[in-house]
Each structure stands twice: as structure tokens, then as C-alpha cells.
Amino acid sequence: MTESEARRRKSLLATIAFEPAIGLTRLRAELDVVHGIAASLDLIRADIDWLVEMGLVRF
């Protein structure tokens, strides 16, 4: 895992922790505005799949 992947995934976890029912489009906007991370919806879906596989979130 690269440093940018780790940062993006940690930011995803933090955002989901504060708003568990957030949608993907809004999640992408939050990553950009709050964390300064630009990511495509496909990349966010892949990260969420990884987080689910690791047992960190349920989606």
C-alpha cells in the first residue's frame, strides 16, 4: 500500500465514522473539501471494498 492509498483510506474511515450513512457522491465531495483528496468514484468504491475485506466497515 502506498502512502497516498493509506492517507485516502484513513480519510474515508474518518469521514464514515462521522457520517455512517453517507453516499458515494457526497463521500467523494467530503474527501475533496475536508481532506484535500481528489479521487474518482471508482477509486473510492475500490477503497471501500478493501475496507470491507479488511473488516473495518460494513457496506
Side-chain angles (χ1 to χ4, degrees), residues 3 8 10 14-15 20 23 25 43 48 57:
E3 186 176 323
R8 191 178 57 247
K10 287 178 187 177
T15 303
T25 304
L43 187 55
I48 289 174
V57 297

Side-chain angles (χ1 to χ4, degrees), residues 3-56:
E3 186 176 323
S4 64
E5 287 175 328
R7 181 173 177 249
R8 191 178 57 247
R9 290 172 180 171
K10 287 178 187 177
S11 297
L12 279 170
L13 281 173
T15 303
I16 292 169
F18 282 103
E19 194 170 346
I22 193 168
L24 287 175
T25 304
R26 189 136 172 264
L27 183 57
R28 183 174 85 174
E30 287 287 320
L31 282 178
D32 187 26
V33 172
V34 176
H35 300 279
I37 298 171
S40 69
L41 287 177
D42 289 336
L43 187 55
I44 291 172
R45 281 187 193 108
D47 284 340
I48 289 174
D49 288 342
W50 185 86
L51 292 170
V52 168
E53 188 177 310
M54 296 296 114
L56 298 172

